[in-house]
Amino acid sequence: MATDRLVPHHIAVVMDGNGRWANRRFLPRVAGHKQGVDALHECVKACAERGVKVLTVFAFSSENWERPADEVSGLMALLAKALARKVAQLSINGIQIHFIGERDSLSDSLKRGFEQAENATAHNLKLIFNICFNYGGRWDIAQAASKLIAKGLSITPASLNSEMSLGHVPDPDLVIRTGGEQRLSNFLLWQAAYSELYFSDKLWPDFDAAALDEAIDEFNRRERRFGKTSEQIQSKTAV
Ligand code: IPE
Ligand code: IPE
Ligand code: MG
């Protein structure tokens, strides 16, 4: 791990490839998701160790309800188990947990689990860990606009931003997608406007700390221009 590299403040991850990981081993898809939970735990630890301040992961999309019923119920059960088993340890490591997404259609016990995890970790400051569950970027923009309309406020980029579900953190610097696909699949449509995008062919259960370091190294090779010219950016970094 290079020591002089810039560590992204906020990393967001589309954790894709669990199903294929399981298929290759002739296992049920849910076995891939189970392995994916372990990979996620390692990723949270690795991010905290490297000084990343915010980690946002895509765990279940608004569209994932369309999957076979046994896979959906398997994912819900895995989440409930992870809530019961992992929250205490994450809290000891200084992780502040937030669940991002539409909650009304989730079971009462999951909703309670989300609230308990958020309350139990609210005081932690090492790393903000946002878990996008039943989340979609389009839902997020629409719910933010609805809130503004209900308050009688006008819709501007700044007012929308304040009502978005990730209003408590700055936009992601780096968005990683594993599993080889090069698309956003309705993840952070608003917030990824100027994020660096990094696509890894590794399946999510295989994405380890070394793979995270490769992504951070690649991030360091990018020049973020935010609409300016390369010369403007270079002259600013030269002073
Ligand atoms: C991502 O892995 C996890 C979720 C969408 C819940 P997939 O389950 O999409 O894995 P692949 O893409 O089928 O391999
Ligand atoms: C995106 O992966 C959602 C999550 C990782 C939770 P998908 O596997 O659902 O995306 P598509 O269907 O390939 O676009
Ligand atoms: Mg997938």
Side-chain angles (χ1 to χ4, degrees):
M1 202 196 316
T3 48
D4 55 349
R5 67 180 184 171
L6 184 72
V7 173
H9 182 93
H10 181 176
I11 295 182
V13 188
V14 180
M15 307 181 291
D16 197 20
N18 294 348
R20 280 163 284 168
W21 185 93
N23 281 343
R24 285 178 195 177
R25 288 162 179 77
F26 305 101
L27 294 168
R29 293 179 58 86
V30 174
H33 296 313
K34 191 160 176 277
Q35 198 70 25
V37 173
D38 292 342
L40 177 56
H41 198 106
E42 290 308 308
C43 182
V44 176
K45 275 202 292 187
C47 283
E49 281 165 12
R50 282 155 183 74
V52 174
K53 288 296 166 198
V54 185
L55 173 67
T56 300
V57 299
F58 204 5
F60 191 84
S61 76
S62 316
E63 291 76 26
N64 288 147
W65 293 108
E66 304 292 329
R67 293 195 176 193
D70 63 332
E71 182 172 349
V72 172
S73 60
L75 276 162
M76 298 297 154
L78 257 182
L79 177 62
K81 209 159 130 189
L83 278 170
R85 293 193 182 169
K86 306 267 186 197
V87 172
Q89 217 209 316
L90 289 173
S91 191
I92 290 167
N93 291 324
I95 312 299
Q96 185 187 116
I97 300 175
H98 297 259
F99 284 92
I100 309 297
E102 195 272 312
R103 294 194 194 190
D104 290 348
S105 40
L106 302 179
S107 71
D108 286 343
S109 69
L110 261 190
K111 277 186 266 195
R112 255 195 324 274
F114 284 7
E115 276 164 32
Q116 281 166 359
E118 288 174 340
N119 292 337
T121 62
H123 58 285
N124 292 331
L125 296 173
K126 176 106 181 127
L127 172 79
I128 295 177
F129 178 32
N130 300 309
I131 303 166
C132 297
F133 197 90
N134 195 19
Y135 170 89
R138 290 176 176 174
W139 163 82
D140 199 5
I141 295 166
Q143 68 79 28
S146 302
K147 281 187 189 153
L148 291 173
I149 292 164
K151 291 179 186 174
L153 297 172
S154 59
I155 295 177
T156 65
S159 67
L160 263 179
N161 212 29
S162 68
E163 297 291 354
M164 298 293 286
S165 62
L166 286 179
H168 59 295
V169 291
D171 287 344
D173 302 291
L174 173 65
V175 174
I176 297 171
R177 181 171 186 144
T178 62
E181 315 297 352
Q182 304 197 353
R183 54 177 174 255
L184 286 176
S185 302
N186 203 10
F187 188 48
L188 305 184
L189 298 182
W190 177 268
Q191 298 87 345
Y194 267 101
S195 306
E196 293 300 323
L197 307 180
Y198 177 84
F199 300 102
S200 166
D201 285 333
K202 275 193 190 299
L203 304 175
W204 173 250
D206 296 325
F207 194 85
D208 55 11
L212 176 70
D213 280 329
E214 273 177 45
I216 296 175
D217 287 345
E218 170 61 22
F219 174 77
N220 275 263
R221 290 190 285 272
R222 306 278 177 92
E223 183 183 65
R224 303 186 77 190
R225 292 195 282 274
F226 299 99
K228 294 182 180 171
T229 67
S230 185
E231 290 71 21
Q232 287 174 296
I233 303 298
Q234 300 290 339
S235 66
K236 211 169 145 210
T237 49
V239 256

